[in-house]
Amino acid sequence: MTTNLKTTIGLVVAGVIALAALLYFADPRPAAPGGGGAEAPTAETLVRPDSHRLATAPDGAPVFVEFLDFECESCYAAFPAVEQIRAEYAGRVTFVVRYFPIPSHANAENAAVAVEAAAQQGRFEDMYRTMFETQPQWGEQEQSQAPRFRQFAAELGLDLAAYDRAVADPATLERVRADREDGFAAGVAGTPTFFVDGARLAPRSVADLRAALDSALADR
């Protein structure tokens, strides 16, 4: 085995281990108001009619739901894995994204509002990708990153007047917080949190995500 090949394999293995650790030790959040043990979430709690779908499979297909925070480093680490399985299961699994901004992340809610404003122009996925692809540039900042997010909107070619109105509209923030409330109701305790067909997952690797989806497909 050549030195270069050994180095490449080592980097891949290290990346898998890092991803596993980040998925396992997900970003925590304070307990939901009311405390107590959460009941199994209802299908409506996990997927609302207005929930954002990255991919839609035929009726009856498994449904993969992720509650995420755009400023969460664990979500950033999981993003390539989610994109990978989304490609692998295209046409067979519906992929749904729910907002779950964590209060300790200064710009998590701003980021979610920016993505929701883009969604109102039919550009949810583009802004969703942009947030994760650029997270190292703006994450963990105390000052507001709203101007940077507006620049992202400009780079995507959005109607900036409409974007500004959406960002300023209290209904946009309410839409983001409604997702978070559903997360609380579903017992979400950190990000990223994944569900397949209503069952919460505790993945330590991409293989665990695949196994859950394969099992759901086999049950059809």
Side-chain angles (χ1 to χ4, degrees):
M1 184 180 295
T2 67
T3 300
N4 286 342
L5 181 56
K6 289 180 180 177
T7 300
T8 300
I9 292 173
L11 289 172
V12 170
V13 171
V16 170
I17 292 172
L19 174 59
L22 286 166
L23 286 173
Y24 184 64
F25 298 105
D27 254 348
R29 61 128 177 110
E39 297 179 358
T42 64
E44 183 181 41
T45 299
L46 291 177
V47 183
R48 299 286 183 182
D50 65 349
S51 293
H52 296 301
R53 292 159 174 78
L54 291 173
T56 301
D59 290 345
V63 179
F64 178 99
V65 179
E66 178 184 5
F67 283 85
L68 58 77
D69 173 332
F70 291 106
E71 195 171 358
C72 162
E73 292 182 350
S74 298
C75 295
Y76 171 73
F79 169 67
V82 173
E83 291 295 282
Q84 181 180 340
I85 63 168
R86 189 155 69 96
E88 293 174 5
Y89 292 86
R92 296 185 290 158
V93 173
T94 293
F95 289 85
V96 178
V97 170
R98 306 297 303 274
Y99 304 117
F100 197 85
I102 293 173
S104 62
H105 291 158
N107 282 285
E109 202 165 70
N110 284 340
V113 165
V115 174
E116 182 58 25
Q120 293 179 24
Q121 296 189 44
R123 304 294 296 278
F124 171 82
E125 184 173 350
D126 291 330
M127 189 65 99
Y128 156 89
R129 286 178 177 274
T130 298
M131 286 297 177
F132 281 127
E133 289 170 354
T134 63
Q135 192 205 86
Q137 301 171 22
W138 60 265
E140 302 301 322
Q141 304 290 326
E142 290 301 318
Q143 66 271 31
S144 172
Q145 296 297 299
R148 185 189 295 266
F149 299 154
R150 188 178 189 275
Q151 181 60 37
F152 294 162
E155 291 169 359
L156 289 173
L158 299 186
D159 178 332
L160 290 183
Y163 173 86
D164 290 341
R165 287 193 298 271
V167 168
D169 187 347
T172 305
L173 178 57
E174 289 171 8
R175 168 68 181 78
V176 168
R177 290 179 175 174
D179 267 16
R180 186 167 61 194
E181 288 304 311
D182 278 345
F184 288 150
V188 172
T191 55
T193 294
F194 304 106
F195 294 85
V196 170
D197 286 347
R200 181 173 172 172
L201 308 182
R204 298 195 183 196
S205 67
V206 179
D208 289 344
L209 296 178
R210 289 196 189 97
L213 293 176
D214 288 342
S215 176
L217 287 165
D219 289 341
R220 266 39 187 192

